[in-house]
Amino acid sequence: MAAGEADFAGTHLLIDCWQASRLDDIAHIEATLREAVAVSGATLLHIHLHHFTPNGGVSGVAVLAESHISIHTWPERDYAALDVFMCGETHPHETVPVFARAFCTDTIQLSTHQRGAAANPASDSSTGNQRTAS
């Protein structure tokens, strides 16, 4: 992939959905993940979801040929955390409206990261510190 002049491995979206609903409906969550995969142009390999009790939260992942989409929900807080990481000829940002519509929210916090950027591969972007394998 390329963004401007810099090459990178993939786009990683961190999505926080607040004031969200249907976060305990595992069938709805699976259908939403499938729709997100379809609109992004990714290739679904497998979906695994787990329904927690007593709060009804759901955690799971859609494993993609191009990486993954994960979800963790807290129905008691009306909150869902999603992670969309894709490489190749995909469109990860197209998933955001799918999640907003599916979880009935306009309150979304989104951050985008270009993973594996070739410009400074040994840099820790959060601190600027160099990292080396031991």
Side-chain angles (χ1 to χ4, degrees):
M1 298 192 100
E5 296 292 321
D7 289 332
F8 57 97
T11 300
H12 195 167
L13 307 181
L14 302 178
I15 306 165
D16 290 339
C17 297
W18 296 95
Q19 300 171 350
S21 61
R22 301 195 71 182
L23 301 177
D24 58 351
D25 184 340
I26 199 165
H28 178 71
I29 290 170
E30 180 172 349
T32 299
L33 290 175
R34 289 182 183 280
E35 182 182 353
V37 171
V39 302
S40 70
T43 305
L44 180 63
L45 300 177
H46 178 75
I47 291 181
H48 179 78
L49 298 170
H50 179 80
H51 207 183
F52 290 95
T53 56
N55 72 346
V58 174
S59 287
V61 63
V63 179
L64 311 174
E66 300 82 3
S67 199
H68 70 273
I69 300 173
S70 66
I71 186 167
H72 306 280
T73 72
W74 288 262
E76 71 278 12
R77 297 185 67 196
D78 299 326
Y79 171 73
L82 293 110
D83 178 296
V84 177
F85 186 23
M86 294 183 186
C87 61
E89 297 298 317
T90 58
H91 308 283
H93 285 92
E94 297 296 321
T95 66
V96 178
V98 171
F99 299 133
R101 184 177 60 257
F103 301 124
C104 305
T105 185
D106 292 326
T107 309
I108 293 180
Q109 184 176 15
L110 171 67
S111 61
T112 301
H113 305 271
Q114 294 174 340
R115 303 296 303 270
N120 194 1
S123 176
D124 176 342
S125 64
S126 64
T127 63
N129 294 333
Q130 297 293 318
R131 303 282 185 200
T132 56
S134 301

